[in-house]
Amino acid sequence: MSLPLEGLTAIVTGAGRGLGRAEALELGRLGAAVVVNDYGQPGRDGSGEASATPAEEVAAEIRAAGGRAVAHTGDVADHEQARELVELAVTEFGKLDILVNNAGILRDRMIFSMTEGEWDSVVRVHLKGHFNTTHFASVHWRARSKAADGPVYGRIVNTSSEAYLAGSAGQPNYAAAKGGIVGLTTSTALALAKYGVTANVICPRARTRMTEDVFAGFGQPEEGLDPLAPEHVAPLVGYLASPAAAHVNGQLLVVHGGMVAIVERPRVATKFDTKQDVFTYDELDALLTPHYADRPKGETFAAVEVLGLKHE
């Protein structure tokens, strides 16, 4: 019996630890050859000396389980190193079929305290990193499609966050970057569909090095799998990377602890029309002020109640 990803090649960025590691192991278990990318800096804020060890250890783990894997230790936020990552997959395994973007850092601060460097560094790694790898992967798939005169196999799974969906007061850089990733994904889904490529985005909730303080109050069970374990997220990534998900494109899914929620695109909640040619201030005041008066202060358009989720 063949495995669902047998004969396919995947790249997983940020795969040396946490979510990326679980995803890389899952793709390898499902039969894919995996390029394990991780820059290897120990600090969740992107600080510390880069190290090849995390990526190499995960690649070795996949090989020890009977799979195929190589390590790549470049910085995906660097355009040239992202190109080299895609080239490594093609050189080592003949082609690229799956791209999972997961690399990221945190530099949390309230908006009034955040520095320009803290903003730029997080947007660079998350949003630019996603763009860089997606760009070179899409160049590869478009060229293959033109050569084949038809669609090819391509899957992109990007990583956003509930910080984008529900808001996160101390993470304006992170929330903005994660929102940008959703926009990048939906645009990419439309642009690459004719080549046979799908692009989807997940909002995972998991206990990792980056979220250790967020979930500090949620203890791990003495027995059984932690509801916040990255292993709850990895199967969805494996599914989205598979042939079974051929008709899933441009979708946003929240996943954690045995739950997957499909998030709809924003819909109009209420609509007001002017009774004149142009709205006046007084007319808008009469319509909008009562509408918002009974809402809790600070409630955003992406209120978590709409999602049916509880954001910790």
Side-chain angles (χ1 to χ4, degrees), residues 270-288:
T270 307
K271 179 174 174 287
F272 299 103
D273 294 306
T274 181
K275 295 180 179 179
Q276 308 161 99
D277 291 334
V278 179
F279 271 116
T280 65
Y281 169 86
D282 289 337
E283 187 181 15
L284 289 170
D285 180 30
L287 292 170
L288 297 181

Side-chain angles (χ1 to χ4, degrees), residues 39-192:
Y39 198 36
Q41 290 176 303
R44 69 176 188 167
D45 61 352
S47 64
E49 290 294 323
S51 169
T53 301
E56 290 176 345
E57 286 182 345
V58 175
E61 196 171 348
I62 293 171
R63 292 193 297 268
R68 296 184 297 158
V70 295
H72 179 270
T73 58
D75 176 8
V76 293
D78 181 284
H79 203 59
E80 180 62 19
Q81 292 182 54
R83 180 186 65 78
E84 292 171 356
L85 171 60
V86 172
E87 287 185 351
L88 175 62
V90 176
T91 301
E92 192 73 23
F93 300 116
K95 59 185 171 61
L96 173 65
D97 304 289
I98 301 159
L99 171 64
V100 180
N101 284 307
N102 183 69
I105 63 170
L106 290 177
R107 292 191 181 178
D108 295 351
R109 192 90 64 179
M110 299 295 283
I111 188 65
F112 43 78
S113 302
M114 182 163 288
T115 67
E116 181 182 14
E118 288 165 342
W119 174 273
D120 287 349
S121 60
V122 169
V123 172
R124 175 183 179 272
V125 175
H126 287 275
L127 186 52
K128 187 183 178 186
H130 273 60
F131 160 74
N132 285 344
T133 54
T134 299
H135 167 73
F136 290 111
S138 66
V139 169
H140 170 72
W141 287 320
R142 183 170 180 263
R144 280 177 52 198
S145 177
K146 286 183 176 295
D149 194 26
V152 296
Y153 190 101
R155 300 284 188 271
I156 299 171
V157 183
N158 288 332
T159 306
S160 183
S161 169
E162 290 175 272
Y164 151 70
L165 287 173
S168 183
Q171 297 181 307
N173 49 2
Y174 181 73
K178 290 305 190 183
I181 287 167
V182 175
L184 171 66
T185 305
T186 54
S187 175
T188 300
L190 292 173
L192 300 186

Side-chain angles (χ1 to χ4, degrees), residues 11 114 236 247 251:
I11 288 173
M114 182 163 288
L236 177 61
H247 298 294
Q251 299 298 299

Side-chain angles (χ1 to χ4, degrees), residues 18-19 44-45 104-106 108 126 159-163 171 174 178 204-218 226 228-230 311-312:
L19 276 170
R44 69 176 188 167
D45 61 352
I105 63 170
L106 290 177
D108 295 351
H126 287 275
T159 306
S160 183
S161 169
E162 290 175 272
Q171 297 181 307
Y174 181 73
K178 290 305 190 183
R205 191 187 299 184
R207 194 191 308 275
T208 68
R209 183 176 52 126
M210 287 182 63
T211 62
E212 57 191 1
D213 57 337
V214 176
F215 299 123
F218 295 81
D226 181 359
L228 292 169
H311 182 70
E312 273 77 49

